[in-house]
Amino acid sequence: AIVLSDLKTSFEGCLVDAQFDYFGARLAMADTSGKIVIEDQTEVTGKHNTQTISNAHEGAVAQISWFHPHFENMLISGGEQDKLIKIWKEVEGSWQLIDSQQTE
């Protein structure tokens, strides 16, 4: 389990959203600078693994959410200033943008 007091992520802006995955094993966090950070902790060693999607959006990330685990490791994010909805997928340990749609 992730112990919130152990998180040492550095955000350039204010934290605006945080969501645990379906199993509660990974925590995705988004900030006002457009960055998304994914934090997980291995059960065996207790060590943290941090992955960052820098510049996920231009400006603040308004909201993030995990897909159901049936769809593997995927996130969806919405940008406040850029008005984009983006779908991210973890591929071989890094996060890749797989789709982006403009909102009105």
Side-chain angles (χ1 to χ4, degrees):
I2 296 173
V3 179
L4 295 179
S5 63
D6 290 345
L7 296 177
K8 292 178 176 61
T9 57
S10 59
F11 287 104
E12 295 162 15
C14 296
L15 180 68
V16 293
D17 195 12
Q19 298 289 324
F20 280 101
D21 70 354
Y22 182 83
F23 302 106
R26 301 176 95 183
L27 178 63
M29 299 167 283
D31 73 2
T32 56
S33 73
K35 184 181 356 178
I36 298 173
V37 174
I38 298 95
E39 183 83 33
D40 65 24
Q41 182 175 8
T42 61
E43 297 273 338
V44 178
T45 64
K47 294 190 180 196
H48 290 282
N49 178 31
T50 303
Q51 298 170 303
T52 302
I53 305 171
S54 299
N55 302 315
H57 288 273
E58 291 182 30
V61 179
Q63 190 171 7
I64 53 174
S65 185
W66 290 94
F67 277 68
H68 188 277
H70 172 76
F71 299 101
E72 301 176 19
N73 292 332
M74 294 176 64
L75 283 169
I76 188 166
S77 62
E80 189 172 314
Q81 279 86 14
D82 62 11
K83 307 289 188 214
L84 291 172
I85 296 173
K86 295 182 176 184
I87 298 174
W88 305 91
K89 183 174 183 174
E90 186 179 26
V91 179
E92 298 179 5
S94 66
W95 289 87
Q96 297 179 4
L97 179 65
I98 62 169
D99 195 15
S100 180
Q101 297 290 320
Q102 186 72 42
T103 63
E104 299 202 17

